[in-house]
Amino acid sequence: MSTTSHAATAATPATTFPEAAATPASPAEPPLPATLRDAIREQRPALLAASLLAVVSAACSLAPCLVVYAVTVVLFIDDAPGRIPAIASWTAADLVVRALTSAASEHLAHTATYRMLRRLRLRIVQTLQSIPLGRVQARSAGELTKTLHDDVEQLEEAFAHGVPDGSAAAAVPLATTATLRRRLAAGTDRVWATAMAVCAAILVLQWIWSTLWLRFVGQGPIERLWRMATWWDAGAGTTAAPAGRGQRH
């Protein structure tokens, strides 16, 4: 009886689950980077795309200067105030493009950076597993944690923010200078120079006004109105800035 039962059990095929059988095997992860340069090379396309989008977003931020120029030409040279609504429409579209490109740039830069940090941490762990145990035990847990977390995390600021912001900061002034030089060299478009001078004067006045405001008031006017509307308190945001406060955090 027992022999028959064992034979029947051996003849019975193993139970399989169709869900598990249908699930494809996950593709093998590429080899971990050996150096930081290899890790950067893996994420180069995403970082380049983030830089390009940051440049487009920063270029769109020049729209106020172009609007001043266009409105000046329309009102004082072409005498065609009917074109102002079209200028306003282009300005609105520019603001939308700026917001979208800025958000996409930040998303790509942060995604690529944290993917790179993950693979670098895996590489460090792989290296720790291959070295003699005595060398690992010679280091404290806090030192290993600092290496895996804090030291690697410092790269986030450089790549997630520094790469796109640095690209925009370098490209936009160069493009603006080239445009100004070409127009001023022509000698026929003095309105452009006047508009740029007006924009520069507005920026200087805004800087002076903001510095004086924040020296005596703890919040900006729009922020104060926002807090008043949020907390339904007419006294919200009236605290003066502390002495020696040079900038807001």
Side-chain angles (χ1 to χ4, degrees):
M1 183 68 178
S2 176
T3 305
T4 306
S5 176
H6 283 299
T9 304
T12 303
T15 304
T16 58
F17 297 94
E19 295 83 4
T23 303
S26 58
E29 191 172 3
L32 296 175
T35 61
L36 178 60
R37 179 180 299 179
D38 295 336
I40 297 173
R41 187 180 296 111
E42 291 178 353
Q43 307 303 326
R44 183 184 298 172
L47 292 175
L48 289 177
S51 300
L52 179 61
L53 290 172
V55 170
V56 174
S57 176
C60 291
S61 66
L62 299 176
C65 299
L66 298 177
V67 168
V68 171
Y69 169 72
V71 171
T72 303
V73 171
V74 165
L75 293 181
F76 299 104
I77 296 182
D78 296 341
D79 193 17
R83 293 166 55 186
I84 291 182
I87 296 175
S89 300
W90 281 106
T91 304
D94 174 87
L95 295 177
V96 173
V97 172
R98 180 187 178 186
L100 293 177
T101 52
S102 177
S105 174
E106 292 184 4
H107 175 74
L108 284 176
H110 281 80
T111 301
T113 299
Y114 279 104
R115 189 181 296 117
M116 180 175 61
L117 299 186
R118 169 185 172 273
R119 290 179 56 77
L120 285 175
R121 288 189 174 104
L122 291 176
R123 177 61 179 177
I124 294 175
V125 171
Q126 187 181 72
T127 303
L128 291 175
Q129 291 175 345
S130 62
I131 65 178
L133 184 59
R135 293 181 58 185
V136 178
Q137 292 179 340
R139 300 176 180 271
S140 64
E143 186 177 357
L144 294 176
T145 302
K146 180 179 180 299
T147 302
L148 282 172
H149 185 270
D150 298 345
D151 294 347
V152 176
E153 191 68 23
Q154 290 181 1
L155 297 174
E156 186 270 340
E157 183 71 22
F159 290 97
H161 301 278
V163 171
D165 293 349
S167 301
V172 174
L174 292 176
T176 305
T177 303
T179 303
L180 285 174
R181 184 176 181 180
R182 181 177 61 83
R183 286 185 171 272
L184 293 177
T188 57
D189 197 351
R190 299 185 180 274
V191 179
W192 178 267
T194 303
M196 293 299 103
V198 170
C199 291
I202 291 175
L203 291 176
V204 172
L205 291 176
Q206 287 179 339
W207 176 74
I208 296 174
W209 172 259
S210 300
T211 302
L212 294 176
W213 178 277
L214 293 177
R215 181 172 297 178
F216 300 102
V217 183
Q219 298 169 343
I222 302 300
E223 182 179 0
R224 179 178 175 181
L225 293 175
W226 183 262
R227 288 178 177 270
M228 290 170 58
T230 303
W231 297 103
W232 295 96
D233 184 4
T238 57
T239 304
R245 182 176 182 177
Q247 62 180 2
R248 299 193 53 222
H249 298 283

